[in-house]
Amino acid sequence: SIAEYGSSGINAEYGGYEAIGLVDSSLPTVGIWAQQDASGTIDAEPGESERYEKGVVFYMAENRVVGVVAWNIFGKIPIARQLIASKDQSQDFGKLAKLFDIHAPDTSISS
């Protein structure tokens, strides 16, 4: 069954996440990531040495999204909940990732 409540965590070195639904390592996943360079500019087409700072991972079962982890993207649990509840079998993950604004300026929680 799908969890009704999300979870979240923050790590000073790696950032934070929000997750909801069935997030199980045995499920297939699709990850969409945005890279951030040293100037803080987000680049959708990173080179070899860049780090990926923000992204969304979709957990799949029966050709639909059953869980979502948003990495360094906050406040998107309601969107993820709607996506899971819709039982949509869309495979356009780029379009789904746009719902999470992965290329928007930093949305991290400051201490």
Side-chain angles (χ1 to χ4, degrees), residues 5 12 16 18 20 29-30 50 54 70 72 75 84 91 93 101 105:
Y5 302 99
E18 291 183 340
I20 190 164
T29 60
V30 175
E50 290 92 357
K54 293 170 58 174
N72 288 327
I84 293 166
Q91 298 295 311
F93 296 104
D101 299 325

Side-chain angles (χ1 to χ4, degrees), residues 8-76:
S8 63
I10 296 179
N11 176 299
E13 183 176 353
Y14 299 109
Y17 68 91
E18 291 183 340
I20 190 164
L22 186 56
V23 178
D24 183 326
S25 63
S26 68
L27 293 174
T29 60
V30 175
I32 307 291
W33 295 89
Q35 182 274 328
Q36 186 171 4
D37 67 18
S39 70
T41 302
I42 295 175
D43 182 2
E45 297 183 24
E48 246 176 63
S49 63
E50 290 92 357
R51 291 179 48 170
Y52 295 90
E53 300 288 340
K54 293 170 58 174
V56 61
V57 178
F58 301 104
Y59 286 77
M60 306 297 294
E62 300 176 7
N63 293 318
R64 65 182 186 89
V65 175
V66 296
V68 175
V69 174
W71 191 259
N72 288 327
I73 302 169
F74 300 96
K76 301 298 182 180

